[in-house]
Amino acid sequence: MPEHSSIRVRFIEAETGQLMGESEVPAEQLPQSFEAATSMDIGESSFEVVSADPMTAQEFLQTGTLRLELREVKHEMVDPRELLYSLPTISNELPPIAEGSTKLGKFVLELREDDWRQVELVTLSLQPTIATVFAAIERIYTEHRKSSGFDELHIRKEMPAPLEGTSLTLADLRGAMGETAKWLDGVSFRGVAGLVEGSFAVGLPSGPALYGLQREGRISVLGLQHIGVSAAVEGDARLLAALASKHQLCLVDWCRVEQVPASAERIQAWLSDQD
């Protein structure tokens, strides 16, 4: 089937579902994929693409049609001195996106970039470093907390290798999780195309997900993303406690400045306290 040189695009207002307009758009003016966050100007207004059908040029070049749901972006002038951070701390670095990868059609754990390594497992040998970072974050709470956020945040640079000295492997994690675990295709960032290089993710029965980075089977980062809690929380707490105890790890919640030991009761209490 020959490819279309122009695409019939229907523009839909995302909130109301109303047709905003319909136009023939040259194919070269459209992106190869709407996987990443995409915005466009129509007249004097700016819009973000909420959804696209189909998602890729490979598809809409064949069909000659494209449906875009748009939401108008309101630009408001804000005094930079009034801008506040919503979190007291974030990780210093983000992992790279694997070249040529895509999250389209895959089951992935999608994180906001600020969520990266906010809760993670850390080797007990790094206890002095944990204490140093906690002190820096506590300073943010005591000196920089405002009514609706923080006017400064601590960027964590002190712990680039939270599992340093451990021998935890992906095979170990798979064994600990059991055969019924729901393994995903990897980790992605919201609004960013592609998968995080070397990433993995697995859902826990009660709702949270373990995720991280591995290279040649050796795990270098093991985070916990809290998604929700169900009746299975007790079993998940035992699983996490056994994993942490075996590999001499503790659970660290950086934003809460909380260290949770390898105790099923303590981890269960932490999981239950997240909602």
Side-chain angles (χ1 to χ4, degrees):
M1 179 183 295
E3 293 185 347
H4 293 263
S5 59
S6 65
I7 309 299
R8 190 69 177 176
V9 182
R10 289 171 57 85
F11 300 97
I12 308 296
E13 210 288 319
E15 303 300 329
T16 65
Q18 297 295 313
L19 178 67
M20 298 170 56
E22 195 167 343
S23 179
E24 290 284 340
V25 179
E28 64 268 19
Q29 293 184 12
L30 294 168
Q32 289 298 304
S33 169
F34 288 93
E35 179 180 354
T38 306
S39 61
M40 57 180 55
D41 294 329
I42 301 178
E44 296 182 356
S45 300
S46 296
F47 295 84
E48 62 176 352
V49 178
V50 176
S51 68
D53 184 21
M55 289 284 288
T56 67
Q58 183 179 5
E59 296 171 284
F60 60 68
L61 285 173
Q62 297 297 321
T63 64
T65 61
L66 175 63
R67 183 181 187 276
L68 297 178
E69 290 192 7
L70 306 177
R71 180 185 296 120
E72 187 173 2
V73 178
K74 303 292 186 180
H75 296 287
E76 298 181 6
M77 297 299 293
V78 178
D79 187 339
R81 293 171 297 181
E82 297 179 358
L83 292 176
L84 295 175
Y85 300 104
S86 61
L87 299 171
T89 180
I90 59 172
S91 177
N92 177 55
E93 57 187 28
L94 289 174
I97 300 299
E99 185 176 353
S101 67
T102 178
K103 59 187 174 185
L104 295 178
K106 298 182 182 297
F107 294 101
V108 301
L109 176 64
E110 189 171 59
L111 304 175
R112 296 178 306 164
E113 291 181 340
D114 286 351
D115 289 336
W116 180 252
R117 288 183 56 191
Q118 292 291 40
V119 178
E120 63 180 335
L121 288 155
V122 178
T123 179
L124 290 173
S125 64
L126 291 175
Q127 188 65 57
T129 307
I130 294 173
T132 297
V133 180
F134 275 0
I137 300 171
E138 285 172 347
R139 184 181 65 83
I140 299 297
Y141 275 105
T142 57
E143 300 178 14
H144 297 281
R145 190 170 194 171
K146 305 301 178 182
S147 59
S148 58
F150 305 89
D151 63 7
E152 190 174 307
L153 81 167
H154 177 67
I155 300 176
R156 300 191 305 276
K157 302 177 181 179
E158 300 90 344
M159 195 174 293
L163 299 180
E164 184 178 9
T166 69
S167 58
L168 182 62
T169 67
L170 199 57
D172 293 331
L173 186 59
R174 287 186 179 276
M177 295 297 297
E179 296 181 358
T180 60
K182 183 181 179 182
W183 287 86
L184 307 180
D185 295 316
V187 178
S188 67
F189 290 123
R190 192 172 301 171
V192 178
L195 297 175
V196 172
E197 186 174 3
S199 66
F200 63 87
V202 56
L204 299 176
S206 68
L210 284 169
Y211 70 92
L213 302 176
Q214 63 84 28
R215 184 173 183 179
E216 297 180 352
R218 180 68 62 85
I219 295 177
S220 58
V221 168
L222 185 58
L224 179 65
Q225 178 68 7
H226 195 272
I227 301 172
V229 168
S230 72
V233 63
E234 183 177 350
D236 285 349
R238 289 198 301 269
L239 184 154
L240 291 170
L243 180 70
S245 178
K246 180 178 180 179
H247 296 278
Q248 294 295 291
L249 309 173
C250 62
L251 186 68
V252 178
D253 184 337
W254 294 114
C255 286
R256 290 191 174 199
V257 199
E258 184 176 358
Q259 180 176 335
V260 185
S263 157
E265 291 77 13
R266 295 286 298 277
I267 293 176
Q268 181 176 346
W270 181 89
L271 287 171
S272 299
D273 192 40
Q274 299 307 298
D275 289 338

